[in-house]
Amino acid sequence: MKNDYYQNKDENFNEALKLIEKTMSHKEIISMLGNGNIPQKQLAAIRLDTLENKEDANILINNLVGQDGKIREVVSLKIKEFVSDNKLKELLFNSLDKNKLTDYFLAALIDTNSNICRNILDTLICFKQNKEFTNLFIEKLIKLIYAQFNKIKQIDIKDGKYVMNKEVFKIYWCLEAINIYFDLMDTETLKNILSVTGTIDEYTIREKTAKILTNNIEDKELLTLRSKLQNDENYYVRATIGKF
């Protein structure tokens, strides 16, 4: 059975128009973001221009996962905007306990909507200076990547290319995050991960691996992998890594 939002498109469109024109207080916007339906939450997130306290931040981040894609995308964009302000960044950072906060950001990193993934990557850069968040996020990121490796191994070719691509592209976004945290990651862990991603058939994964290897590296095995990708069969992989 379809969601009521999709069953009543005209009704919801008219409701959205009314909400756009209506003057609303900050309190009303936050209440709608916390308790509204799909169009109400989406528009509340669009109209939200600040956070006044930890509770506001909590409501915003709680809409980053487990919601309709229209809501998740706007919320991720708002979070990206807000972290450029130190005060709002602190409110967001302290909105949830760090275990739950890192879980939410990790889930958003591999969202099916690539715009959400990009917004979260920009947010992670702003959070990088906080060691508590970053160390925990990196730990969970590594576990996720290894879990994805195992999942890909178990996919039956009969399941179709779509199923494979869906799981492979989660690794794509994880590699983007590794590039952010490259200087903070253990060399052995990097070698274990990149030795796999550097040989995956999907060229975009090798391309992201090449991007990581453009960082300053000294390890012989990583240097060997970089040289190999410099001669990759795919132009975009070769172009990404360039010449050293």
Side-chain angles (χ1 to χ4, degrees), residues 60-78:
L60 179 64
I61 289 187
N62 271 305
N63 279 284
L64 183 60
V65 298
Q67 300 292 331
D68 182 87
K70 296 178 180 63
I71 299 169
R72 300 196 314 274
E73 181 170 352
V74 179
V75 167
S76 70
L77 181 60
K78 281 296 173 178

PDB file of all heavy atoms in Angstrom, residues 60-78:
ATOM      1  N   LEU A  60      16.385  18.133  14.266  1.00  0.00           N
ATOM      2  CA  LEU A  60      16.900  18.203  12.902  1.00  0.00           C
ATOM      3  C   LEU A  60      17.661  16.934  12.536  1.00  0.00           C
ATOM      4  O   LEU A  60      17.383  16.302  11.506  1.00  0.00           O
ATOM      5  CB  LEU A  60      17.822  19.421  12.753  1.00  0.00           C
ATOM      6  CG  LEU A  60      18.457  19.613  11.367  1.00  0.00           C
ATOM      7  CD1 LEU A  60      17.378  19.884  10.320  1.00  0.00           C
ATOM      8  CD2 LEU A  60      19.477  20.737  11.389  1.00  0.00           C
ATOM      9  N   ILE A  61      18.592  16.529  13.371  1.00  0.00           N
ATOM     10  CA  ILE A  61      19.417  15.356  13.042  1.00  0.00           C
ATOM     11  C   ILE A  61      18.596  14.071  13.054  1.00  0.00           C
ATOM     12  O   ILE A  61      18.872  13.153  12.274  1.00  0.00           O
ATOM     13  CB  ILE A  61      20.619  15.265  14.005  1.00  0.00           C
ATOM     14  CG1 ILE A  61      21.610  16.374  13.676  1.00  0.00           C
ATOM     15  CG2 ILE A  61      21.306  13.910  13.902  1.00  0.00           C
ATOM     16  CD1 ILE A  61      22.915  16.320  14.407  1.00  0.00           C
ATOM     17  N   ASN A  62      17.588  13.983  13.877  1.00  0.00           N
ATOM     18  CA  ASN A  62      16.747  12.789  13.896  1.00  0.00           C
ATOM     19  C   ASN A  62      15.975  12.591  12.595  1.00  0.00           C
ATOM     20  O   ASN A  62      15.472  11.501  12.324  1.00  0.00           O
ATOM     21  CB  ASN A  62      15.772  12.831  15.073  1.00  0.00           C
ATOM     22  CG  ASN A  62      16.360  12.229  16.325  1.00  0.00           C
ATOM     23  OD1 ASN A  62      16.811  11.087  16.327  1.00  0.00           O
ATOM     24  ND2 ASN A  62      16.393  12.990  17.406  1.00  0.00           N
ATOM     25  N   ASN A  63      15.882  13.654  11.799  1.00  0.00           N
ATOM     26  CA  ASN A  63      15.227  13.544  10.493  1.00  0.00           C
ATOM     27  C   ASN A  63      16.208  13.222   9.369  1.00  0.00           C
ATOM     28  O   ASN A  63      15.826  13.169   8.210  1.00  0.00           O
ATOM     29  CB  ASN A  63      14.478  14.844  10.169  1.00  0.00           C
ATOM     30  CG  ASN A  63      13.125  14.915  10.848  1.00  0.00           C
ATOM     31  OD1 ASN A  63      12.177  14.265  10.430  1.00  0.00           O
ATOM     32  ND2 ASN A  63      13.046  15.707  11.905  1.00  0.00           N
ATOM     33  N   LEU A  64      17.461  12.988   9.728  1.00  0.00           N
ATOM     34  CA  LEU A  64      18.475  12.651   8.735  1.00  0.00           C
ATOM     35  C   LEU A  64      18.358  11.208   8.257  1.00  0.00           C
ATOM     36  O   LEU A  64      18.776  10.878   7.151  1.00  0.00           O
ATOM     37  CB  LEU A  64      19.868  12.893   9.321  1.00  0.00           C
ATOM     38  CG  LEU A  64      21.080  12.675   8.425  1.00  0.00           C
ATOM     39  CD1 LEU A  64      21.042  13.596   7.207  1.00  0.00           C
ATOM     40  CD2 LEU A  64      22.371  12.911   9.209  1.00  0.00           C
ATOM     41  N   VAL A  65      17.767  10.356   9.077  1.00  0.00           N
ATOM     42  CA  VAL A  65      17.596   8.939   8.735  1.00  0.00           C
ATOM     43  C   VAL A  65      16.157   8.513   9.020  1.00  0.00           C
ATOM     44  O   VAL A  65      15.462   9.132   9.807  1.00  0.00           O
ATOM     45  CB  VAL A  65      18.569   8.043   9.531  1.00  0.00           C
ATOM     46  CG1 VAL A  65      20.009   8.380   9.195  1.00  0.00           C
ATOM     47  CG2 VAL A  65      18.335   8.179  11.026  1.00  0.00           C
ATOM     48  N   GLY A  66      15.736   7.451   8.340  1.00  0.00           N
ATOM     49  CA  GLY A  66      14.423   6.886   8.600  1.00  0.00           C
ATOM     50  C   GLY A  66      13.252   7.715   8.118  1.00  0.00           C
ATOM     51  O   GLY A  66      12.111   7.502   8.537  1.00  0.00           O
ATOM     52  N   GLN A  67      13.529   8.674   7.234  1.00  0.00           N
ATOM     53  CA  GLN A  67      12.478   9.547   6.704  1.00  0.00           C
ATOM     54  C   GLN A  67      12.433   9.439   5.184  1.00  0.00           C
ATOM     55  O   GLN A  67      13.323   8.856   4.565  1.00  0.00           O
ATOM     56  CB  GLN A  67      12.756  11.007   7.104  1.00  0.00           C
ATOM     57  CG  GLN A  67      12.813  11.267   8.589  1.00  0.00           C
ATOM     58  CD  GLN A  67      11.475  11.104   9.275  1.00  0.00           C
ATOM     59  OE1 GLN A  67      10.417  11.317   8.658  1.00  0.00           O
ATOM     60  NE2 GLN A  67      11.492  10.729  10.549  1.00  0.00           N
ATOM     61  N   ASP A  68      11.395  10.011   4.593  1.00  0.00           N
ATOM     62  CA  ASP A  68      11.307  10.068   3.136  1.00  0.00           C
ATOM     63  C   ASP A  68      12.524  10.808   2.574  1.00  0.00           C
ATOM     64  O   ASP A  68      13.068  11.709   3.216  1.00  0.00           O
ATOM     65  CB  ASP A  68      10.012  10.792   2.740  1.00  0.00           C
ATOM     66  CG  ASP A  68       9.821  10.841   1.246  1.00  0.00           C
ATOM     67  OD1 ASP A  68       9.248   9.894   0.690  1.00  0.00           O
ATOM     68  OD2 ASP A  68      10.269  11.828   0.622  1.00  0.00           O
ATOM     69  N   GLY A  69      12.955  10.426   1.391  1.00  0.00           N
ATOM     70  CA  GLY A  69      14.136  11.011   0.786  1.00  0.00           C
ATOM     71  C   GLY A  69      14.066  12.520   0.634  1.00  0.00           C
ATOM     72  O   GLY A  69      15.085  13.210   0.713  1.00  0.00           O
ATOM     73  N   LYS A  70      12.867  13.059   0.413  1.00  0.00           N
ATOM     74  CA  LYS A  70      12.703  14.506   0.268  1.00  0.00           C
ATOM     75  C   LYS A  70      13.092  15.218   1.555  1.00  0.00           C
ATOM     76  O   LYS A  70      13.678  16.298   1.529  1.00  0.00           O
ATOM     77  CB  LYS A  70      11.255  14.836  -0.101  1.00  0.00           C
ATOM     78  CG  LYS A  70      10.807  14.288  -1.448  1.00  0.00           C
ATOM     79  CD  LYS A  70       9.352  14.634  -1.693  1.00  0.00           C
ATOM     80  CE  LYS A  70       8.897  14.091  -3.043  1.00  0.00           C
ATOM     81  NZ  LYS A  70       8.956  12.623  -3.087  1.00  0.00           N
ATOM     82  N   ILE A  71      12.752  14.603   2.676  1.00  0.00           N
ATOM     83  CA  ILE A  71      13.089  15.174   3.983  1.00  0.00           C
ATOM     84  C   ILE A  71      14.572  15.014   4.252  1.00  0.00           C
ATOM     85  O   ILE A  71      15.254  15.970   4.649  1.00  0.00           O
ATOM     86  CB  ILE A  71      12.272  14.489   5.105  1.00  0.00           C
ATOM     87  CG1 ILE A  71      10.772  14.699   4.872  1.00  0.00           C
ATOM     88  CG2 ILE A  71      12.685  15.023   6.479  1.00  0.00           C
ATOM     89  CD1 ILE A  71       9.890  13.842   5.771  1.00  0.00           C
ATOM     90  N   ARG A  72      15.100  13.818   4.035  1.00  0.00           N
ATOM     91  CA  ARG A  72      16.511  13.549   4.323  1.00  0.00           C
ATOM     92  C   ARG A  72      17.433  14.493   3.558  1.00  0.00           C
ATOM     93  O   ARG A  72      18.426  14.974   4.099  1.00  0.00           O
ATOM     94  CB  ARG A  72      16.872  12.093   3.991  1.00  0.00           C
ATOM     95  CG  ARG A  72      16.076  11.051   4.756  1.00  0.00           C
ATOM     96  CD  ARG A  72      16.730   9.674   4.685  1.00  0.00           C
ATOM     97  NE  ARG A  72      17.158   9.278   3.369  1.00  0.00           N
ATOM     98  CZ  ARG A  72      16.413   8.681   2.452  1.00  0.00           C
ATOM     99  NH1 ARG A  72      15.128   8.419   2.713  1.00  0.00           N
ATOM    100  NH2 ARG A  72      16.910   8.313   1.269  1.00  0.00           N
ATOM    101  N   GLU A  73      17.101  14.752   2.301  1.00  0.00           N
ATOM    102  CA  GLU A  73      17.985  15.599   1.496  1.00  0.00           C
ATOM    103  C   GLU A  73      18.026  17.031   2.021  1.00  0.00           C
ATOM    104  O   GLU A  73      19.097  17.624   2.149  1.00  0.00           O
ATOM    105  CB  GLU A  73      17.542  15.589   0.030  1.00  0.00           C
ATOM    106  CG  GLU A  73      18.456  16.434  -0.847  1.00  0.00           C
ATOM    107  CD  GLU A  73      18.201  16.251  -2.334  1.00  0.00           C
ATOM    108  OE1 GLU A  73      17.422  15.357  -2.716  1.00  0.00           O
ATOM    109  OE2 GLU A  73      18.793  17.024  -3.114  1.00  0.00           O
ATOM    110  N   VAL A  74      16.858  17.597   2.316  1.00  0.00           N
ATOM    111  CA  VAL A  74      16.825  18.973   2.820  1.00  0.00           C
ATOM    112  C   VAL A  74      17.512  19.061   4.179  1.00  0.00           C
ATOM    113  O   VAL A  74      18.256  19.999   4.454  1.00  0.00           O
ATOM    114  CB  VAL A  74      15.373  19.493   2.930  1.00  0.00           C
ATOM    115  CG1 VAL A  74      15.368  20.918   3.480  1.00  0.00           C
ATOM    116  CG2 VAL A  74      14.687  19.459   1.573  1.00  0.00           C
ATOM    117  N   VAL A  75      17.281  18.067   5.028  1.00  0.00           N
ATOM    118  CA  VAL A  75      17.903  18.057   6.354  1.00  0.00           C
ATOM    119  C   VAL A  75      19.422  17.985   6.232  1.00  0.00           C
ATOM    120  O   VAL A  75      20.156  18.704   6.923  1.00  0.00           O
ATOM    121  CB  VAL A  75      17.371  16.880   7.200  1.00  0.00           C
ATOM    122  CG1 VAL A  75      18.231  16.652   8.446  1.00  0.00           C
ATOM    123  CG2 VAL A  75      15.921  17.150   7.611  1.00  0.00           C
ATOM    124  N   SER A  76      19.913  17.139   5.345  1.00  0.00           N
ATOM    125  CA  SER A  76      21.369  17.028   5.164  1.00  0.00           C
ATOM    126  C   SER A  76      21.957  18.345   4.667  1.00  0.00           C
ATOM    127  O   SER A  76      23.064  18.731   5.057  1.00  0.00           O
ATOM    128  CB  SER A  76      21.710  15.894   4.184  1.00  0.00           C
ATOM    129  OG  SER A  76      21.337  16.218   2.853  1.00  0.00           O
ATOM    130  N   LEU A  77      21.223  19.047   3.814  1.00  0.00           N
ATOM    131  CA  LEU A  77      21.681  20.338   3.307  1.00  0.00           C
ATOM    132  C   LEU A  77      21.721  21.376   4.425  1.00  0.00           C
ATOM    133  O   LEU A  77      22.668  22.169   4.525  1.00  0.00           O
ATOM    134  CB  LEU A  77      20.774  20.813   2.175  1.00  0.00           C
ATOM    135  CG  LEU A  77      21.139  22.149   1.518  1.00  0.00           C
ATOM    136  CD1 LEU A  77      22.535  22.090   0.919  1.00  0.00           C
ATOM    137  CD2 LEU A  77      20.110  22.517   0.457  1.00  0.00           C
ATOM    138  N   LYS A  78      20.693  21.357   5.289  1.00  0.00           N
ATOM    139  CA  LYS A  78      20.663  22.293   6.417  1.00  0.00           C
ATOM    140  C   LYS A  78      21.813  22.037   7.381  1.00  0.00           C
ATOM    141  O   LYS A  78      22.444  22.970   7.892  1.00  0.00           O
ATOM    142  CB  LYS A  78      19.328  22.180   7.157  1.00  0.00           C
ATOM    143  CG  LYS A  78      18.195  22.899   6.480  1.00  0.00           C
ATOM    144  CD  LYS A  78      18.436  24.400   6.449  1.00  0.00           C
ATOM    145  CE  LYS A  78      17.382  25.112   5.613  1.00  0.00           C
ATOM    146  NZ  LYS A  78      17.570  26.577   5.599  1.00  0.00           N
TER     147      LYS A  78
END
